[in-house]
Amino acid sequence: MRLVLVGPPGAGKGTQAQFLAAHYSIPHISTGDIFRANLKASTPLGLQAKGYMDSGQLVPDEVTNEMVKDRLTHDDTANGFLLDGFPRNTVQAEVLRAYLAENGKPLEAVLELAIDNDIIIKRLSSRRTCKECGAPAAPDASQCVACGGELYQREDDKEEVIAKRLSVYEEQTAPIVDFYRTEGLLITISADGDVAEITKRAIAALSRVQG
Ligand code: AMP
């Protein structure tokens, strides 16, 4: 399954991506996680991305596109992949389409997690993230359920940055929803409700595109 997950920040993409990647036995490729891992390791890529990330803006396309193309050459993508947080604008969507077409591996589906802004703001401002593995955690969790790691609040989950991220989503990322609708790849589900319930909804919706 070659899949893209799209939705505003706080729609639960990271959480659903973990379950869906395990379900389909495909790697979960989160551009945000790759940037954060580089930031933690103080690599040149991490240092380049830091200012954009801390202020809720997109890292420049040239940097992000090359990083994703490189990741898609890894052997673990032979049977598919789940992209989470990429593409984030129509330029990235076009680059991805061209790259996958060149390699004879076009996308099979784009799953949109739809959710209201007021729920997003509540979720993001109380969200905690694992310092070790990057998994999102519930506000009342004392440690990461995936690895036992310590939790922290992402710099970009602070209230002043959330508004910026939402406006970046509306202006730059929302247009890719139409792009993929036109391509006939878009499947939209509601991302409101229980985590397990949303996963079930996603798998049921995706089962209709699996050939
Ligand atoms: P995320 O974890 O997906 O919310 O991403 C966190 C931050 O990483 C974003 O606010 C951007 O600064 C950067 N980022 C992640 N994915 C992309 C992308 N596809 N294009 C540009 N910047 C990105």
Side-chain angles (χ1 to χ4, degrees):
M1 167 77 79
R2 292 182 296 276
L3 179 64
V4 161
L5 207 53
V6 65
K13 294 190 300 297
T15 302
Q16 291 305 324
Q18 288 178 37
F19 290 112
L20 294 174
H23 180 82
Y24 295 109
S25 303
I26 50 176
H28 167 204
I29 302 176
S30 154
T31 41
D33 284 355
I34 302 176
F35 283 131
R36 277 184 291 279
N38 276 276
L39 201 55
K40 198 175 162 198
S42 298
T43 67
L45 176 65
L47 298 176
Q48 208 177 354
K50 181 175 168 38
Y52 299 102
M53 295 177 75
D54 285 352
S55 59
Q57 298 181 71
L58 295 186
V59 177
D61 289 339
E62 313 81 77
V63 176
T64 311
N65 290 338
E66 285 315 305
M67 181 178 88
V68 172
K69 283 199 242 171
D70 175 70
R71 179 64 186 83
L72 289 174
T73 63
H74 294 197
D75 289 347
D76 64 351
T77 63
N79 294 322
F81 50 79
L82 190 167
L83 281 170
D84 158 19
F86 184 94
R88 251 337 205 266
N89 59 30
T90 46
V91 172
Q92 294 181 5
E94 291 283 7
V95 166
L96 180 67
R97 176 171 60 182
Y99 176 80
L100 294 175
E102 254 170 49
N103 289 283
K105 294 188 162 183
L107 286 176
E108 290 165 88
V110 174
L111 183 69
E112 180 193 17
L113 299 182
I115 187 120
D116 287 344
N117 270 9
D118 44 345
I119 303 178
I120 292 175
I121 294 168
K122 223 164 110 191
R123 274 191 194 174
L124 285 181
S125 52
S126 60
R127 175 167 78 173
R128 296 295 176 266
T129 300
C130 177
K131 264 190 186 167
E132 302 307 320
C133 74
D140 55 350
S142 56
Q143 59 181 40
C144 175
V145 285
C147 77
E150 197 186 326
L151 303 175
Y152 78 112
Q153 183 177 38
R154 276 169 47 174
E155 206 47 51
D156 59 352
D157 278 346
K158 298 194 169 149
E159 253 177 78
E160 55 282 15
V161 186
I162 293 173
K164 175 68 188 166
R165 289 168 70 204
L166 286 175
S167 75
V168 167
Y169 180 81
E170 280 309 319
E171 286 160 22
Q172 302 193 45
T173 310
I176 72 169
V177 170
D178 289 331
F179 174 96
Y180 285 126
R181 188 178 291 117
T182 308
E183 298 254 297
L185 290 170
L186 190 75
I187 298 172
T188 302
I189 61 166
S190 162
D192 189 11
D194 187 53
V195 170
E197 182 59 38
I198 299 164
T199 309
K200 261 200 214 160
R201 229 175 263 162
I203 291 170
L206 288 168
S207 69
R208 284 175 234 132
V209 295
Q210 272 189 307

